[in-house]
Amino acid sequence: MGKKILEVKELTTKYITRFGEDVYAVDHVSLAIEEGKSLGIAGESGCGKSTLALSLMGYYFPPLHYTSGDIIVDGKNISTMKPDAIRKSVLGTEIAYIPQAAMNALNPTQKIIRFIEDVVRVHHPKMPKKEIYDSARKRFEELGLPASVLEKHAVELSGGMKQRTVIAISTILSPKVLIADEPSSALDVTSQKMVIKMLRNLMDKGYIKSMIFITHELPLLYNVTDDIMVMYAGQIVEKGTAKEMVFEPVHPYSQGLMGSIIVPEAGTRDVKLTAIPGTPPNLKKPPSGCRFAERCKYVTNECRAISVGLKEFGDDRSYRCIMDVDKLREGYKHE
Ligand SMILES: Nc1ncnc2c1ncn2[C@@H]1O[C@H](COP(=O)(O)OP(=O)(O)OP(=O)(O)O)[C@@H](O)[C@H]1O
Ligand SMILES: [Mg+2]
C-alpha cells in the first residue's frame, strides 16, 4: 500500500439554517487516498457532494458546521484547526479546492496574474512580482496554457480556457490534495477532455499528489479516477475501483445511477434506462432506516427500520445495504 495523502474518518458536518434547523448533509463519511491516486465522488443533485468537498478543507463558516470526525492530510490532523490557521497553512498548499462553477466567479475586471499574486502572497508575502510572474508563466506553459493568458482578464477567455486557468491558479502552490467540484460539467465535450487531460498532467508532473473529482455522472469517472465512491443523502453507499463501480455496481442506487446513462464501452448496457424514480429524502429529517428505502425496488419493512453501516466485501470494496451482495448482483444482471 502506498503512502496515504488524505485520510478522513467518520466526518460529520451539518448546515444550521437561519430558522435553526439542522441539515445533515455529510454523515459519518470515511475515505482514504494514497499518493498518486484519484478518487471520484458521484451522486445526484443534493446528495451532499459539494458539502463534503467544503467540509474536507476543515474550513467552516456558517451555515456549515463541523460536528465530528477526523481529516488527516499527509499525517496532520486539520479537523480541529482554527480557521485562520487553516487559511495560512492548509488552503492552497495542503488542500486546494475548485468550487462548483468557480470559473463564473472570477472577478472579470482583474488580470489573471493578479489572482495568482493573491494566492501566492498568502504564503510568500514578500515574493517580488517578477518572480511570481516567471514561475506562473513556466507553470502555465508546462500545463499547455499560453503565457499570454496571464495578462488577460477573465472575460476575454472562452469557457474551457477559463476553467483550465482556474485550475492552474488553484494549483499554483502545488497542493497535496486537489478537490475539483464538477470541473467539467458546464463545458462542451472538447473542453471537458482538455480539462481532464490537464488534471492528469498535474498529477503526472507531481504538482498535485492526489485528487478528488466530483460529478453527478458515474460513468465519466471511469476514465478519470482510480476509485469511486457513490454518495446518497449525505452518506457513502458504495466504494470500489472505478472499473468495479462502473461495470459491477452493487448498491441499488449505484446500479440505478449507472443504468440511467449510456456508456459506449464494451460490456456495458447500450439501452438508455429511465432515471431512478422518486426523490432523495429531506436531509432535515433523514429516515431512521435506509435512506434509499423509499426508492428501492427491494425495499422491505426491515430496511425502513434498520440503518445499515458500510459492509466490506471482495478486495477492499464496501456497500451499505441489508441485502446480500450476490443477490444484488444477480438482480442487476436480469434488469
Ligand atoms: N447553505 C445551505 N444551507 C442549508 N442547506 C444547504 C445549504 N447548502 C446546501 N444545503 C443542503 O445540503 C444538501 C447537500 O447539498 P450539496 O450542495 O452538498 O449537494 P450536491 O451533491 O453538491 O448537489 P449538486 O449536484 O446539485 O451540486 C442539500 O439537501 C442542500 O439543500
Ligand atoms: Mg454540488
Side-chain angles (χ1 to χ4, degrees):
M1 220 172 139
K3 182 183 171 192
K4 275 185 196 154
I5 291 291
L6 176 68
E7 197 177 6
V8 177
K9 295 181 192 162
E10 304 280 335
L11 184 64
T12 301
T13 64
K14 65 180 178 186
Y15 293 104
I16 304 178
T17 68
R18 61 203 167 92
F19 305 109
E21 296 163 312
D22 291 340
V23 182
Y24 301 96
V26 173
D27 187 71
H28 294 90
V29 168
S30 298
L31 57 92
I33 313 180
E34 289 172 27
E35 182 158 3
K37 299 280 182 194
S38 55
L39 170 71
I41 300 177
E44 73 201 304
S45 189
C47 70
K49 303 180 299 296
S50 295
T51 310
L52 174 61
L54 267 175
S55 303
L56 289 177
M57 293 185 297
Y59 193 55
Y60 302 97
F61 40 89
L64 184 62
H65 297 264
Y66 167 84
T67 306
S68 57
D70 294 307
I71 305 162
I72 300 152
V73 186
D74 205 12
K76 185 160 93 179
N77 196 333
I78 65 158
S79 53
T80 50
M81 277 169 71
K82 297 262 186 305
D84 198 41
I86 294 270
R87 212 170 55 79
K88 287 199 183 118
S89 62
V90 175
L91 302 185
T93 49
E94 302 291 304
I95 304 184
Y97 170 55
I98 305 171
Q100 204 164 348
M103 63 181 194
N104 302 324
L106 280 182
N107 177 348
T109 62
Q110 188 160 301
K111 278 189 185 172
I112 299 304
I113 185 66
R114 302 282 168 266
F115 293 105
I116 296 176
E117 284 167 10
D118 291 346
V119 175
V120 173
R121 289 255 161 81
V122 175
H123 299 273
H124 310 281
K126 300 220 165 81
M127 192 184 275
K129 275 191 176 186
K130 166 100 173 64
E131 205 175 310
I132 298 176
Y133 185 88
D134 288 347
S135 58
R137 196 193 56 211
K138 187 162 166 271
R139 176 66 68 90
F140 268 50
E141 283 171 350
E142 272 188 75
L143 294 175
L145 286 167
S148 58
V149 168
L150 292 168
E151 292 296 338
K152 292 197 167 141
H153 297 88
V155 279
E156 297 173 80
L157 306 174
S158 68
M161 183 65 93
K162 219 190 306 186
Q163 182 64 305
R164 286 190 291 142
T165 301
V166 166
I167 297 170
I169 297 170
S170 312
T171 53
I172 203 86
L173 298 168
S174 307
K176 289 174 184 154
V177 185
L178 172 67
I179 305 175
D181 193 353
E182 307 263 10
S184 64
S185 299
L187 304 172
D188 60 83
V189 176
T190 311
S191 303
Q192 257 185 13
K193 284 196 178 136
M194 289 174 91
V195 162
I196 287 161
K197 194 173 154 207
M198 184 172 170
L199 291 169
R200 232 186 247 130
N201 207 351
L202 278 164
M203 195 85 124
D204 292 345
K205 292 203 156 80
Y207 293 140
I208 56 174
K209 286 190 162 47
S210 63
M211 177 174 73
I212 293 183
F213 188 107
I214 295 173
T215 174
H216 50 270
E217 289 178 61
L218 203 161
L220 172 68
L221 294 176
Y222 176 61
N223 294 311
V224 181
T225 63
D226 297 297
D227 294 321
I228 297 178
M229 260 174 27
V230 169
M231 240 183 132
Y232 184 74
Q235 298 179 326
I236 304 303
V237 295
E238 189 171 350
K239 282 187 215 179
T241 65
K243 195 169 171 198
E244 290 162 342
M245 294 296 287
V246 169
F247 292 94
E248 297 161 20
V250 163
H251 192 284
Y253 179 65
S254 323
Q255 292 180 347
L257 270 191
M258 201 37 223
S260 63
I261 299 161
I262 306 168
V263 185
E265 295 276 348
T268 51
R269 28 198 70 215
D270 53 4
V271 271
K272 187 171 168 66
L273 302 172
T274 46
I276 313 159
T279 48
N282 182 344
L283 291 178
K284 287 177 191 159
K285 288 190 205 88
S288 50
C290 169
R291 294 188 177 185
F292 187 61
E294 292 316 316
R295 298 172 79 184
C296 185
K297 62 179 177 182
Y298 301 113
V299 66
T300 61
N301 284 337
E302 208 181 357
C303 303
R304 294 192 176 97
I306 302 169
S307 164
V308 185
L310 279 168
K311 299 196 284 192
E312 309 232 327
F313 72 99
D315 188 12
D316 204 22
R317 287 194 69 184
S318 49
Y319 75 114
R320 186 190 293 273
C321 178
I322 207 163
M323 273 177 65
D324 187 70
V325 174
D326 294 332
K327 277 210 182 109
L328 289 166
R329 281 188 167 143
E330 204 48 35
Y332 190 54
K333 263 194 227 151
H334 294 110
E335 215 168 58

